[in-house]
Amino acid sequence: MRLSNEDEGTDDADSGLATVTAKPKLQRPAMYKVILLNDDYTPMEFVVHVLEVFFGIAREKATQIMLAVHTQGAAVVGIYPRDIAETKSEQVNQYSQENNHPLISTVEMTD
């Protein structure tokens, strides 16, 4: 007596053959710059404080960046994926406003 294909379990689903699924190509997310803009009213020490707190920058480097903002009008303070860059920028702007300072940061896509 011969078994049918169903009885032998030879259809593709039950044959024990592994099928390989193509892995999707992963791309790095687009990166965005957080830029701090100079103004004539925000104290330099407040800018250094913001760089330390929101960007985790050491005091010496934060002081150098603050001076770059002051002398050049703006400076990139970090590069992140879009959501993180926007969140950091919003946090800086809100914190500055809560402390009655006009300091502003913006977000731009990297080149």
Side-chain angles (χ1 to χ4, degrees):
M1 174 172 143
R2 177 160 165 78
L3 296 172
S4 70
N5 281 350
E6 287 180 353
D7 294 333
E8 292 177 9
T10 58
D11 80 330
D12 288 342
D14 296 328
S15 68
L17 294 177
T19 57
V20 177
T21 309
K23 290 184 180 180
K25 286 193 173 189
L26 299 178
Q27 295 180 339
R28 292 199 178 274
M31 301 300 278
Y32 290 77
K33 302 181 278 191
V34 179
I35 301 169
L36 217 52
L37 305 176
N38 186 46
D39 64 74
D40 293 331
Y41 303 101
T42 303
M44 292 180 177
E45 187 57 37
F46 183 79
V47 176
V48 171
H49 172 72
V50 164
L51 293 168
E52 291 174 320
V53 171
F54 294 100
F55 299 95
I57 299 172
R59 180 168 283 280
E60 186 176 322
K61 182 69 176 172
T63 301
Q64 291 172 357
I65 293 171
M66 174 274 298
L67 290 172
V69 170
H70 181 69
T71 58
Q72 299 169 16
V76 175
V77 296
I79 299 176
Y80 307 95
R82 182 179 178 184
D83 291 345
I84 295 172
E86 288 177 348
T87 298
K88 287 189 176 285
S89 180
E90 289 171 13
Q91 289 173 332
V92 167
N93 294 343
Q94 181 178 352
Y95 185 71
S96 297
Q97 190 174 27
E98 289 170 357
N99 287 278
N100 300 315
H101 296 299
L103 182 66
I104 293 177
S105 66
T106 62
V107 174
E108 290 181 9
M109 189 172 194
T110 57
D111 297 330

